mmCIF file of all heavy atoms in Angstrom:
data_model
loop_
_atom_site.group_PDB
_atom_site.id
_atom_site.type_symbol
_atom_site.label_atom_id
_atom_site.label_comp_id
_atom_site.label_asym_id
_atom_site.label_seq_id
_atom_site.Cartn_x
_atom_site.Cartn_y
_atom_site.Cartn_z
ATOM 1 N N SER A 9 -10.309 -1.537 -0.451
ATOM 2 C CA SER A 9 -10.505 -0.633 -1.417
ATOM 3 C C SER A 9 -10.294 0.743 -0.753
ATOM 4 O O SER A 9 -10.478 0.846 0.406
ATOM 5 C CB SER A 9 -11.675 -0.685 -2.226
ATOM 6 O OG SER A 9 -12.754 -0.389 -1.315
ATOM 7 N N PHE A 10 -9.947 1.758 -1.403
ATOM 8 C CA PHE A 10 -9.839 3.078 -0.943
ATOM 9 C C PHE A 10 -9.917 4.231 -1.985
ATOM 10 O O PHE A 10 -9.781 3.767 -3.211
ATOM 11 C CB PHE A 10 -8.623 3.323 -0.020
ATOM 12 C CG PHE A 10 -7.190 3.164 -0.778
ATOM 13 C CD1 PHE A 10 -6.607 4.114 -1.521
ATOM 14 C CD2 PHE A 10 -6.704 1.847 -0.720
ATOM 15 C CE1 PHE A 10 -5.562 3.938 -2.172
ATOM 16 C CE2 PHE A 10 -5.511 1.688 -1.339
ATOM 17 C CZ PHE A 10 -4.896 2.738 -2.067
ATOM 18 N N GLU A 11 -9.992 5.517 -1.729
ATOM 19 C CA GLU A 11 -9.985 6.472 -2.681
ATOM 20 C C GLU A 11 -8.492 7.023 -2.814
ATOM 21 O O GLU A 11 -7.786 7.248 -2.063
ATOM 22 C CB GLU A 11 -10.889 7.599 -2.160
ATOM 23 C CG GLU A 11 -12.349 7.342 -2.315
ATOM 24 C CD GLU A 11 -13.182 8.483 -1.996
ATOM 25 O OE1 GLU A 11 -12.710 9.675 -1.832
ATOM 26 O OE2 GLU A 11 -14.376 8.298 -1.940
ATOM 27 N N GLN A 12 -8.168 7.028 -4.138
ATOM 28 C CA GLN A 12 -6.849 7.457 -4.651
ATOM 29 C C GLN A 12 -6.818 8.772 -5.330
ATOM 30 O O GLN A 12 -7.751 9.001 -6.089
ATOM 31 C CB GLN A 12 -6.417 6.314 -5.651
ATOM 32 C CG GLN A 12 -5.191 6.617 -6.410
ATOM 33 C CD GLN A 12 -5.184 6.073 -7.895
ATOM 34 O OE1 GLN A 12 -6.047 5.363 -8.197
ATOM 35 N NE2 GLN A 12 -4.372 6.496 -8.690
ATOM 36 N N ASN A 13 -5.797 9.496 -5.050
ATOM 37 C CA ASN A 13 -5.620 10.842 -5.713
ATOM 38 C C ASN A 13 -5.300 10.563 -7.132
ATOM 39 O O ASN A 13 -4.442 9.730 -7.428
ATOM 40 C CB ASN A 13 -4.488 11.615 -4.987
ATOM 41 C CG ASN A 13 -4.312 12.948 -5.421
ATOM 42 O OD1 ASN A 13 -4.778 13.286 -6.666
ATOM 43 N ND2 ASN A 13 -3.833 13.944 -4.591
ATOM 44 N N LEU A 14 -6.034 11.383 -8.041
ATOM 45 C CA LEU A 14 -5.714 11.143 -9.465
ATOM 46 C C LEU A 14 -4.413 11.529 -9.946
ATOM 47 O O LEU A 14 -4.027 11.152 -10.941
ATOM 48 C CB LEU A 14 -6.840 11.982 -10.285
ATOM 49 C CG LEU A 14 -8.148 11.368 -10.104
ATOM 50 C CD1 LEU A 14 -9.352 12.323 -10.875
ATOM 51 C CD2 LEU A 14 -8.418 9.919 -10.561
ATOM 52 N N THR A 15 -3.643 12.332 -9.171
ATOM 53 C CA THR A 15 -2.216 12.631 -9.570
ATOM 54 C C THR A 15 -1.232 11.523 -9.332
ATOM 55 O O THR A 15 -0.169 11.607 -9.762
ATOM 56 C CB THR A 15 -1.843 13.992 -8.809
ATOM 57 O OG1 THR A 15 -1.811 13.625 -7.428
ATOM 58 C CG2 THR A 15 -2.667 15.123 -9.124
ATOM 59 N N SER A 16 -1.729 10.442 -8.621
ATOM 60 C CA SER A 16 -0.801 9.405 -8.391
ATOM 61 C C SER A 16 -0.946 8.172 -9.477
ATOM 62 O O SER A 16 -2.085 8.014 -9.957
ATOM 63 C CB SER A 16 -1.130 8.741 -6.937
ATOM 64 O OG SER A 16 -2.305 8.155 -6.961
ATOM 65 N N ALA A 17 0.053 7.520 -9.677
ATOM 66 C CA ALA A 17 0.066 6.269 -10.568
ATOM 67 C C ALA A 17 0.264 5.156 -9.679
ATOM 68 O O ALA A 17 1.061 5.137 -8.721
ATOM 69 C CB ALA A 17 1.308 6.522 -11.505
ATOM 70 N N VAL A 18 -0.553 4.098 -9.943
ATOM 71 C CA VAL A 18 -0.681 2.931 -9.050
ATOM 72 C C VAL A 18 0.184 1.900 -9.732
ATOM 73 O O VAL A 18 -0.026 1.508 -10.923
ATOM 74 C CB VAL A 18 -2.192 2.502 -8.833
ATOM 75 C CG1 VAL A 18 -2.158 1.195 -8.042
ATOM 76 C CG2 VAL A 18 -2.932 3.480 -8.181
ATOM 77 N N LYS A 19 1.016 1.187 -8.969
ATOM 78 C CA LYS A 19 1.742 0.122 -9.275
ATOM 79 C C LYS A 19 1.252 -1.105 -8.338
ATOM 80 O O LYS A 19 1.451 -0.990 -7.140
ATOM 81 C CB LYS A 19 3.241 0.246 -9.201
ATOM 82 C CG LYS A 19 3.766 1.260 -10.006
ATOM 83 C CD LYS A 19 5.266 1.583 -9.824
ATOM 84 C CE LYS A 19 5.708 2.789 -10.543
ATOM 85 N NZ LYS A 19 7.024 3.247 -10.183
ATOM 86 N N GLU A 20 0.664 -2.005 -8.831
ATOM 87 C CA GLU A 20 0.076 -3.187 -8.106
ATOM 88 C C GLU A 20 1.012 -4.447 -8.100
ATOM 89 O O GLU A 20 1.707 -4.725 -9.224
ATOM 90 C CB GLU A 20 -1.313 -3.612 -8.526
ATOM 91 C CG GLU A 20 -2.330 -2.668 -8.481
ATOM 92 C CD GLU A 20 -3.722 -3.174 -8.992
ATOM 93 O OE1 GLU A 20 -4.073 -4.263 -8.556
ATOM 94 O OE2 GLU A 20 -4.388 -2.448 -9.576
ATOM 95 N N ASN A 21 1.165 -5.082 -6.902
ATOM 96 C CA ASN A 21 1.902 -6.286 -6.867
ATOM 97 C C ASN A 21 1.013 -7.440 -6.567
ATOM 98 O O ASN A 21 -0.246 -7.228 -6.273
ATOM 99 C CB ASN A 21 2.914 -6.253 -5.726
ATOM 100 C CG ASN A 21 3.946 -5.113 -5.877
ATOM 101 O OD1 ASN A 21 4.491 -4.984 -7.040
ATOM 102 N ND2 ASN A 21 4.381 -4.484 -4.796
ATOM 103 N N LYS A 22 1.415 -8.696 -6.808
ATOM 104 C CA LYS A 22 0.512 -9.863 -6.742
ATOM 105 C C LYS A 22 -0.062 -9.991 -5.309
ATOM 106 O O LYS A 22 -1.100 -10.516 -5.069
ATOM 107 C CB LYS A 22 1.272 -11.131 -7.068
ATOM 108 C CG LYS A 22 1.626 -11.212 -8.621
ATOM 109 C CD LYS A 22 2.469 -12.328 -8.905
ATOM 110 C CE LYS A 22 3.001 -12.294 -10.338
ATOM 111 N NZ LYS A 22 3.913 -13.249 -10.646
ATOM 112 N N ASP A 23 0.779 -9.560 -4.275
ATOM 113 C CA ASP A 23 0.370 -9.935 -2.878
ATOM 114 C C ASP A 23 -0.592 -8.763 -2.235
ATOM 115 O O ASP A 23 -0.585 -8.518 -1.072
ATOM 116 C CB ASP A 23 1.612 -10.063 -1.996
ATOM 117 C CG ASP A 23 2.431 -8.718 -2.002
ATOM 118 O OD1 ASP A 23 2.186 -7.916 -2.732
ATOM 119 O OD2 ASP A 23 3.384 -8.861 -1.171
ATOM 120 N N CYS A 24 -1.090 -7.985 -3.167
ATOM 121 C CA CYS A 24 -2.152 -6.817 -2.808
ATOM 122 C C CYS A 24 -1.257 -5.761 -2.199
ATOM 123 O O CYS A 24 -1.811 -4.866 -1.407
ATOM 124 C CB CYS A 24 -3.271 -7.325 -1.855
ATOM 125 S SG CYS A 24 -4.518 -8.220 -2.799
ATOM 126 N N SER A 25 0.056 -5.628 -2.327
ATOM 127 C CA SER A 25 0.766 -4.391 -1.951
ATOM 128 C C SER A 25 0.808 -3.449 -3.115
ATOM 129 O O SER A 25 0.810 -3.954 -4.304
ATOM 130 C CB SER A 25 2.261 -4.835 -1.573
ATOM 131 O OG SER A 25 2.202 -5.684 -0.533
ATOM 132 N N LEU A 26 0.716 -2.141 -2.864
ATOM 133 C CA LEU A 26 0.762 -1.194 -3.829
ATOM 134 C C LEU A 26 1.714 -0.143 -3.621
ATOM 135 O O LEU A 26 2.213 0.078 -2.538
ATOM 136 C CB LEU A 26 -0.740 -0.478 -3.751
ATOM 137 C CG LEU A 26 -1.956 -1.330 -3.856
ATOM 138 C CD1 LEU A 26 -3.238 -0.487 -3.480
ATOM 139 C CD2 LEU A 26 -2.163 -1.991 -5.165
ATOM 140 N N VAL A 27 2.024 0.592 -4.768
ATOM 141 C CA VAL A 27 2.892 1.733 -4.635
ATOM 142 C C VAL A 27 2.022 2.823 -5.415
ATOM 143 O O VAL A 27 1.634 2.754 -6.459
ATOM 144 C CB VAL A 27 4.306 1.620 -5.377
ATOM 145 C CG1 VAL A 27 5.065 2.924 -5.166
ATOM 146 C CG2 VAL A 27 5.002 0.450 -4.633
ATOM 147 N N LEU A 28 1.762 3.920 -4.695
ATOM 148 C CA LEU A 28 1.147 5.156 -5.219
ATOM 149 C C LEU A 28 2.276 6.081 -5.589
ATOM 150 O O LEU A 28 2.880 6.694 -4.564
ATOM 151 C CB LEU A 28 0.049 5.750 -4.243
ATOM 152 C CG LEU A 28 -1.026 4.890 -3.765
ATOM 153 C CD1 LEU A 28 -1.849 5.579 -2.885
ATOM 154 C CD2 LEU A 28 -1.819 4.537 -4.999
ATOM 155 N N ASP A 29 2.624 6.353 -6.686
ATOM 156 C CA ASP A 29 3.735 7.065 -7.178
ATOM 157 C C ASP A 29 3.202 8.537 -7.468
ATOM 158 O O ASP A 29 2.281 8.614 -8.302
ATOM 159 C CB ASP A 29 4.500 6.539 -8.391
ATOM 160 C CG ASP A 29 5.687 7.120 -8.657
ATOM 161 O OD1 ASP A 29 6.483 7.542 -7.664
ATOM 162 O OD2 ASP A 29 6.025 7.183 -9.909
ATOM 163 N N TYR A 30 3.889 9.543 -6.993
ATOM 164 C CA TYR A 30 3.566 10.962 -7.156
ATOM 165 C C TYR A 30 4.781 11.544 -7.951
ATOM 166 O O TYR A 30 5.663 12.061 -7.267
ATOM 167 C CB TYR A 30 3.317 11.626 -6.000
ATOM 168 C CG TYR A 30 2.188 11.216 -5.193
ATOM 169 C CD1 TYR A 30 2.095 10.024 -4.438
ATOM 170 C CD2 TYR A 30 0.968 11.932 -5.492
ATOM 171 C CE1 TYR A 30 0.974 9.652 -3.716
ATOM 172 C CE2 TYR A 30 -0.247 11.478 -4.700
ATOM 173 C CZ TYR A 30 -0.209 10.432 -3.893
ATOM 174 O OH TYR A 30 -1.323 9.950 -3.268
ATOM 175 N N PRO A 31 4.946 11.406 -9.331
ATOM 176 C CA PRO A 31 6.131 11.856 -9.961
ATOM 177 C C PRO A 31 6.369 13.260 -9.963
ATOM 178 O O PRO A 31 7.459 13.744 -9.807
ATOM 179 C CB PRO A 31 5.998 11.311 -11.372
ATOM 180 C CG PRO A 31 4.590 10.907 -11.537
ATOM 181 C CD PRO A 31 3.917 10.835 -10.203
ATOM 182 N N SER A 32 5.293 14.075 -9.779
ATOM 183 C CA SER A 32 5.542 15.574 -9.842
ATOM 184 C C SER A 32 6.094 15.936 -8.379
ATOM 185 O O SER A 32 6.785 17.111 -8.286
ATOM 186 C CB SER A 32 4.293 16.288 -10.086
ATOM 187 O OG SER A 32 3.268 16.037 -9.169
ATOM 188 N N MET A 33 5.924 15.171 -7.384
ATOM 189 C CA MET A 33 6.466 15.586 -6.048
ATOM 190 C C MET A 33 7.616 14.651 -5.722
ATOM 191 O O MET A 33 8.199 14.826 -4.622
ATOM 192 C CB MET A 33 5.325 15.340 -5.068
ATOM 193 C CG MET A 33 4.301 16.351 -5.186
ATOM 194 S SD MET A 33 2.894 16.056 -4.068
ATOM 195 C CE MET A 33 1.507 16.416 -5.175
ATOM 196 N N LYS A 34 8.002 13.736 -6.645
ATOM 197 C CA LYS A 34 9.271 12.849 -6.401
ATOM 198 C C LYS A 34 9.060 12.083 -5.028
ATOM 199 O O LYS A 34 9.902 12.110 -4.259
ATOM 200 C CB LYS A 34 10.518 13.745 -6.515
ATOM 201 C CG LYS A 34 10.617 14.383 -7.797
ATOM 202 C CD LYS A 34 12.028 15.036 -7.964
ATOM 203 C CE LYS A 34 12.099 15.481 -9.326
ATOM 204 N NZ LYS A 34 13.069 16.421 -9.563
ATOM 205 N N GLY A 35 7.818 11.613 -4.893
ATOM 206 C CA GLY A 35 7.529 10.789 -3.729
ATOM 207 C C GLY A 35 6.692 9.528 -3.932
ATOM 208 O O GLY A 35 6.049 9.585 -5.026
ATOM 209 N N SER A 36 6.616 8.587 -3.187
ATOM 210 C CA SER A 36 5.665 7.446 -3.168
ATOM 211 C C SER A 36 5.246 7.129 -1.889
ATOM 212 O O SER A 36 5.775 7.132 -0.895
ATOM 213 C CB SER A 36 6.501 6.226 -3.859
ATOM 214 O OG SER A 36 6.908 6.581 -5.172
ATOM 215 N N VAL A 37 3.830 6.616 -1.994
ATOM 216 C CA VAL A 37 3.305 5.963 -0.726
ATOM 217 C C VAL A 37 3.330 4.457 -0.867
ATOM 218 O O VAL A 37 2.807 3.944 -1.917
ATOM 219 C CB VAL A 37 1.972 6.514 -0.410
ATOM 220 C CG1 VAL A 37 1.276 5.763 0.769
ATOM 221 C CG2 VAL A 37 1.793 7.962 -0.308
ATOM 222 N N TYR A 38 4.008 3.709 -0.106
ATOM 223 C CA TYR A 38 4.107 2.214 -0.250
ATOM 224 C C TYR A 38 3.102 1.710 0.701
ATOM 225 O O TYR A 38 3.034 1.822 1.970
ATOM 226 C CB TYR A 38 5.485 1.760 0.203
ATOM 227 C CG TYR A 38 6.523 2.233 -0.834
ATOM 228 C CD1 TYR A 38 7.135 3.536 -0.666
ATOM 229 C CD2 TYR A 38 6.899 1.425 -1.908
ATOM 230 C CE1 TYR A 38 8.145 3.896 -1.645
ATOM 231 C CE2 TYR A 38 7.852 1.916 -2.764
ATOM 232 C CZ TYR A 38 8.494 3.148 -2.719
ATOM 233 O OH TYR A 38 9.342 3.569 -3.595
ATOM 234 N N ILE A 39 2.181 0.751 0.201
ATOM 235 C CA ILE A 39 1.140 0.192 0.941
ATOM 236 C C ILE A 39 1.324 -1.300 0.949
ATOM 237 O O ILE A 39 1.523 -1.864 -0.108
ATOM 238 C CB ILE A 39 -0.175 0.616 0.364
ATOM 239 C CG1 ILE A 39 -0.401 2.213 0.461
ATOM 240 C CG2 ILE A 39 -1.375 -0.187 1.099
ATOM 241 C CD1 ILE A 39 -1.560 2.598 -0.136
ATOM 242 N N THR A 40 1.333 -1.918 2.025
ATOM 243 C CA THR A 40 1.539 -3.481 2.264
ATOM 244 C C THR A 40 0.330 -4.016 2.836
ATOM 245 O O THR A 40 -0.120 -3.501 3.940
ATOM 246 C CB THR A 40 2.744 -3.703 3.026
ATOM 247 O OG1 THR A 40 3.862 -2.968 2.502
ATOM 248 C CG2 THR A 40 3.030 -5.190 3.100
ATOM 249 N N TYR A 41 -0.133 -5.139 2.378
ATOM 250 C CA TYR A 41 -1.196 -5.765 2.957
ATOM 251 C C TYR A 41 -0.825 -7.163 3.560
ATOM 252 O O TYR A 41 -0.027 -7.867 2.934
ATOM 253 C CB TYR A 41 -2.385 -6.106 1.933
ATOM 254 C CG TYR A 41 -3.427 -7.109 2.337
ATOM 255 C CD1 TYR A 41 -4.495 -6.490 3.327
ATOM 256 C CD2 TYR A 41 -3.400 -8.515 2.152
ATOM 257 C CE1 TYR A 41 -5.481 -7.348 3.752
ATOM 258 C CE2 TYR A 41 -4.439 -9.201 2.788
ATOM 259 C CZ TYR A 41 -5.477 -8.695 3.493
ATOM 260 O OH TYR A 41 -6.379 -9.466 4.006
ATOM 261 N N LYS A 42 -1.305 -7.421 4.745
ATOM 262 C CA LYS A 42 -1.052 -8.785 5.433
ATOM 263 C C LYS A 42 -2.309 -9.324 5.976
ATOM 264 O O LYS A 42 -3.002 -8.518 6.620
ATOM 265 C CB LYS A 42 -0.073 -8.656 6.533
ATOM 266 C CG LYS A 42 1.353 -7.905 6.192
ATOM 267 C CD LYS A 42 2.325 -8.904 6.131
ATOM 268 C CE LYS A 42 3.675 -8.194 5.730
ATOM 269 N NZ LYS A 42 4.761 -8.924 5.226
ATOM 270 N N PRO A 43 -2.557 -10.516 5.681
ATOM 271 C CA PRO A 43 -3.787 -11.185 6.441
ATOM 272 C C PRO A 43 -3.488 -11.407 7.839
ATOM 273 O O PRO A 43 -2.320 -11.680 8.323
ATOM 274 C CB PRO A 43 -3.968 -12.474 5.689
ATOM 275 C CG PRO A 43 -2.567 -12.816 5.061
ATOM 276 C CD PRO A 43 -1.955 -11.435 4.904
ATOM 277 N N VAL A 44 -4.473 -11.176 8.685
ATOM 278 C CA VAL A 44 -4.346 -11.475 10.165
ATOM 279 C C VAL A 44 -4.721 -12.979 10.362
ATOM 280 O O VAL A 44 -5.830 -13.403 10.021
ATOM 281 C CB VAL A 44 -5.244 -10.511 11.111
ATOM 282 C CG1 VAL A 44 -5.239 -10.948 12.492
ATOM 283 C CG2 VAL A 44 -4.911 -9.205 10.805
ATOM 284 N N GLN A 45 -3.619 -13.731 10.868
ATOM 285 C CA GLN A 45 -3.783 -15.111 11.177
ATOM 286 C C GLN A 45 -3.246 -15.383 12.525
ATOM 287 O O GLN A 45 -2.136 -15.993 12.580
ATOM 288 C CB GLN A 45 -3.116 -15.910 10.037
ATOM 289 C CG GLN A 45 -3.683 -15.671 8.631
ATOM 290 C CD GLN A 45 -2.843 -16.159 7.518
ATOM 291 O OE1 GLN A 45 -1.700 -16.422 7.737
ATOM 292 N NE2 GLN A 45 -3.532 -16.489 6.451
ATOM 293 N N ASP A 46 -3.862 -15.019 13.625
ATOM 294 C CA ASP A 46 -3.396 -15.243 14.931
ATOM 295 C C ASP A 46 -2.005 -14.398 15.162
ATOM 296 O O ASP A 46 -1.120 -14.847 15.977
ATOM 297 C CB ASP A 46 -3.190 -16.653 15.302
ATOM 298 C CG ASP A 46 -4.477 -17.236 15.451
ATOM 299 O OD1 ASP A 46 -5.519 -16.678 15.861
ATOM 300 O OD2 ASP A 46 -4.741 -18.498 15.175
ATOM 301 N N ASN A 47 -1.788 -13.312 14.359
ATOM 302 C CA ASN A 47 -0.438 -12.704 14.410
ATOM 303 C C ASN A 47 -0.672 -11.139 14.574
ATOM 304 O O ASN A 47 0.080 -10.303 14.263
ATOM 305 C CB ASN A 47 0.233 -12.958 13.237
ATOM 306 C CG ASN A 47 -0.354 -12.594 11.916
ATOM 307 O OD1 ASN A 47 -1.479 -12.266 11.916
ATOM 308 N ND2 ASN A 47 0.460 -12.557 10.818
ATOM 309 N N LEU A 48 -1.838 -10.798 14.922
ATOM 310 C CA LEU A 48 -2.184 -9.315 15.098
ATOM 311 C C LEU A 48 -1.191 -8.587 16.007
ATOM 312 O O LEU A 48 -0.659 -7.505 15.584
ATOM 313 C CB LEU A 48 -3.618 -9.148 15.680
ATOM 314 C CG LEU A 48 -3.976 -7.533 15.746
ATOM 315 C CD1 LEU A 48 -4.046 -6.979 14.388
ATOM 316 C CD2 LEU A 48 -5.377 -7.476 16.312
ATOM 317 N N LYS A 49 -0.879 -9.196 17.174
ATOM 318 C CA LYS A 49 0.112 -8.455 18.115
ATOM 319 C C LYS A 49 1.464 -8.314 17.433
ATOM 320 O O LYS A 49 2.030 -7.214 17.470
ATOM 321 C CB LYS A 49 0.357 -9.357 19.309
ATOM 322 C CG LYS A 49 1.080 -8.649 20.283
ATOM 323 C CD LYS A 49 1.155 -9.418 21.664
ATOM 324 C CE LYS A 49 2.026 -8.750 22.700
ATOM 325 N NZ LYS A 49 2.120 -9.443 23.974
ATOM 326 N N THR A 50 1.994 -9.350 16.604
ATOM 327 C CA THR A 50 3.185 -9.136 15.936
ATOM 328 C C THR A 50 3.101 -8.134 14.867
ATOM 329 O O THR A 50 4.108 -7.307 14.713
ATOM 330 C CB THR A 50 3.575 -10.470 15.340
ATOM 331 O OG1 THR A 50 3.643 -11.386 16.252
ATOM 332 C CG2 THR A 50 4.941 -10.445 14.537
ATOM 333 N N LEU A 51 2.102 -8.075 14.072
ATOM 334 C CA LEU A 51 1.744 -6.999 12.992
ATOM 335 C C LEU A 51 1.831 -5.695 13.635
ATOM 336 O O LEU A 51 2.370 -4.710 13.088
ATOM 337 C CB LEU A 51 0.518 -7.395 12.235
ATOM 338 C CG LEU A 51 0.523 -8.639 11.377
ATOM 339 C CD1 LEU A 51 -0.826 -8.922 10.892
ATOM 340 C CD2 LEU A 51 1.492 -8.433 10.295
ATOM 341 N N LEU A 52 1.050 -5.521 14.740
ATOM 342 C CA LEU A 52 0.972 -4.140 15.366
ATOM 343 C C LEU A 52 2.465 -3.716 15.880
ATOM 344 O O LEU A 52 2.892 -2.524 15.805
ATOM 345 C CB LEU A 52 0.059 -4.211 16.580
ATOM 346 C CG LEU A 52 -1.576 -4.189 16.121
ATOM 347 C CD1 LEU A 52 -2.267 -4.530 17.425
ATOM 348 C CD2 LEU A 52 -1.942 -2.903 15.565
ATOM 349 N N THR A 53 3.138 -4.666 16.416
ATOM 350 C CA THR A 53 4.493 -4.450 17.055
ATOM 351 C C THR A 53 5.379 -3.934 15.794
ATOM 352 O O THR A 53 6.115 -3.036 16.023
ATOM 353 C CB THR A 53 4.987 -5.586 17.757
ATOM 354 O OG1 THR A 53 4.120 -5.884 18.818
ATOM 355 C CG2 THR A 53 6.352 -5.279 18.327
#
């Protein structure tokens, strides 16, 4: 969980990935979640 700016609209996906859409600024923050399963080095890379 995290704090979200109220000017953004949230679009949730089934895999816990989110898009925070800022229509007034014509931009988006794309957030992706991955579980760590002995793949931390690969995820970091």
Side-chain angles (χ1 to χ4, degrees):
S9 65
F10 60 86
E11 290 184 6
Q12 161 213 354
N13 189 330
L14 294 177
T15 61
S16 67
V18 179
K19 298 174 188 170
E20 294 182 45
N21 295 325
K22 293 177 188 175
D23 63 352
C24 287
S25 296
L26 307 170
V27 178
L28 300 177
D29 190 36
Y30 296 81
S32 64
M33 293 175 220
K34 298 185 177 167
S36 295
V37 176
Y38 295 86
I39 298 174
T40 305
Y41 173 79
K42 304 254 184 201
V44 175
Q45 300 167 335
D46 293 328
N47 59 348
L48 182 61
K49 186 175 181 179
T50 303
L51 292 170
L52 286 168
T53 303

